[in-house]
Amino acid sequence: QVQLVESGGGLVQAGDSLRLSCAASGRTFDSYVMGWFRQAPGKEREFVAAISGNGRLTNYADSVKGRFTISRDNAKNTVYLQMNSLKPEDTAVYYCAAVPRWSRSTDEASYNSWGQGTQVTVSS
């Protein structure tokens, strides 16, 4: 297991940018696929983006493709989500999560470690 703490959320206007960070504690951080999920009030949690352990592979939900970029710095045990051109529909609590296998990178049920979440609110 790995412990995760998200930060960087806040209140912004449509069109603005935010960078979320997820700090991991524990060993073998670079062996984990890292993902970002989000959950809006009254809605189910949904996949946003994932990155492989070595950072070579990424995938994104269609709703954020071209606007969001996931990256990681294994020397700092940190994964990032750069969010540009934010829209009101991006408003949600954003969660960082870890899963051992790339083949399960979009499968929420396969992730075995989760952070507490950070709130992102985008006003019109």
Side-chain angles (χ1 to χ4, degrees):
Q1 67 275 21
V2 60
Q3 296 175 242
L4 307 171
V5 179
E6 303 94 336
S7 63
L11 174 63
V12 299
Q13 297 203 54
D16 285 351
S17 297
L18 279 175
R19 190 184 74 161
L20 305 183
S21 298
C22 173
S25 63
R27 297 180 294 273
T28 64
F29 172 73
D30 60 358
S31 71
Y32 285 93
V33 173
M34 300 299 298
W36 287 96
F37 293 77
R38 67 186 183 186
Q39 186 170 28
K43 298 182 179 179
E44 295 183 346
R45 189 157 56 188
E46 65 176 353
F47 170 78
V48 176
I51 186 167
S52 62
N54 60 16
R56 293 172 57 199
L57 302 174
T58 60
N59 57 49
Y60 299 91
D62 289 342
S63 60
V64 307
K65 195 171 299 181
R67 299 188 298 121
F68 290 11
T69 302
I70 188 171
S71 62
R72 67 192 297 160
D73 186 341
N74 288 344
K76 297 181 178 180
N77 279 17
T78 302
V79 63
Y80 305 95
L81 185 68
Q82 178 67 45
M83 305 184 294
N84 298 329
S85 302
L86 282 162
K87 305 174 180 179
E89 50 263 47
D90 295 318
T91 295
V93 176
Y94 283 71
Y95 297 91
C96 179
V99 66
R101 301 295 181 89
W102 176 249
S103 62
R104 302 268 68 86
S105 63
T106 63
D107 181 11
E108 179 181 346
S110 294
Y111 283 77
N112 51 25
S113 298
W114 293 85
Q116 295 296 113
T118 185
Q119 177 71 49
V120 172
T121 303
V122 185
S123 63
S124 300

